[in-house]
Amino acid sequence: MSTLLHVDSSPLYDRSVSRQLTSAFVAQWKASHPGGTVVDRDLNATPIPPITGEWVGAVYTPEEARAPQQKELLSLSDSLLAELEQADEYVFGVPMHNFSVPSTLKLWIDQIVRAGKTFSYEGGIPKGLITGKKATFILATGGNYDAGTQMASLNFVEPYLRSLFGFLGVTDATFLTAGGTMALNYGQDRDAFLAPHLEIVQTYAQAI
C-alpha cells in the first residue's frame, strides 16, 4: 500500500489557496489509492527551530557517540526524515513569499538536508539518497510568474525546490501553479478562480 506525505506551509489556513488545492489533491489521491496512508505535516503547527552550531555539531558526531542532549537536538529532524523515508509520494502546498518559499518550509528543509541521511558525497561527487519517490508541488503565487511573463525572473520558488529535491534524489517532480491569487483581494470570485486549478489538481492526482 502507498503512503503519501502531505506538507502544508501557508499561514492562512481557510483563506489559503495552496491548502485548498492540496486538500483536493489528498482527497482524490485517497479515492485513487484505497487502503493508502496519508501522513499530514502542517509546518505552521510544528515548532521548528533554526539550526544552530550545536545542532550541526550533533549531526556530524557519529550516532553511537552522541550525548543525550545531542540526540534530543536531532529528535525533530529524525522524525521528519522518517516521514520522508516512509512515504512513496509527497505533495507540498507552497505559497510564494517574497519571491521564494515560506520561512516555515525553509526551516523544515534545513532539518531534513543531512549528510549521510538525504545526501552524500562519494569521491567529491554529490549523491541524493532519497530515491524512487514522486513529488508534487502545488504553488500559489500572488502575481503571474509563468515562463515568458514579465515577472518570470522573480520566481525563485520552482527553481529552488526543483534543484534542492533533485540534489536529494527526488527527480520525479511536478509543479502545479495557481498564479494571480492577488485578484482574490480585489473582488475576484474565489470559486470561479479556483475551479480550473481544482480540476487540474484533481485530474493529476487521479492519474498518478
Side-chain angles (χ1 to χ4, degrees), residues 16-19 21 93-97 138-143 157 176-181:
S16 168
V17 169
S18 64
R19 283 180 182 269
L21 294 177
V94 187
M96 176 186 281
H97 285 184
I138 299 178
L139 313 184
T141 64
V157 178
L176 305 176
T177 301
T181 63

Side-chain angles (χ1 to χ4, degrees), residues 101-125:
V101 300
S103 57
T104 52
L105 180 55
K106 182 57 169 64
L107 288 169
W108 178 88
I109 287 169
D110 289 344
Q111 292 286 329
I112 61 92
V113 178
R114 282 175 55 182
K117 294 289 188 179
T118 50
F119 74 95
S120 67
Y121 280 97
E122 297 179 2
I125 300 174

Side-chain angles (χ1 to χ4, degrees), residues 62-74:
E63 192 167 351
E64 64 277 6
R66 286 175 189 150
Q69 183 181 9
Q70 290 180 309
K71 293 177 181 178
E72 178 62 25
L73 278 174
L74 297 179

Side-chain angles (χ1 to χ4, degrees), residues 21-155:
L21 294 177
T22 59
S23 178
F25 180 101
V26 170
Q28 184 59 63
W29 188 91
K30 286 180 178 179
S32 301
H33 296 78
T37 299
V38 176
V39 176
D40 296 303
R41 174 61 70 174
D42 183 347
L43 299 185
N44 281 275
T46 304
I48 304 178
I51 62 172
T52 62
E54 291 77 13
W55 187 94
V56 175
V59 165
Y60 285 98
T61 297
E63 192 167 351
E64 64 277 6
R66 286 175 189 150
Q69 183 181 9
Q70 290 180 309
K71 293 177 181 178
E72 178 62 25
L73 278 174
L74 297 179
S75 60
L76 174 60
S77 174
D78 290 338
S79 296
L80 299 177
L81 284 170
E83 292 176 351
L84 271 179
E85 293 164 0
Q86 292 165 8
D88 305 290
E89 302 178 41
Y90 314 135
V91 61
F92 293 87
V94 187
M96 176 186 281
H97 285 184
N98 300 317
F99 311 122
S100 188
V101 300
S103 57
T104 52
L105 180 55
K106 182 57 169 64
L107 288 169
W108 178 88
I109 287 169
D110 289 344
Q111 292 286 329
I112 61 92
V113 178
R114 282 175 55 182
K117 294 289 188 179
T118 50
F119 74 95
S120 67
Y121 280 97
E122 297 179 2
I125 300 174
K127 178 183 179 182
L129 301 180
I130 309 178
T131 57
K133 313 289 188 179
K134 177 189 290 291
T136 303
F137 297 91
I138 299 178
L139 313 184
T141 64
N144 185 354
Y145 299 88
D146 292 342
T149 64
Q150 185 177 5
M151 302 283 280
S153 64
L154 296 177
N155 179 6

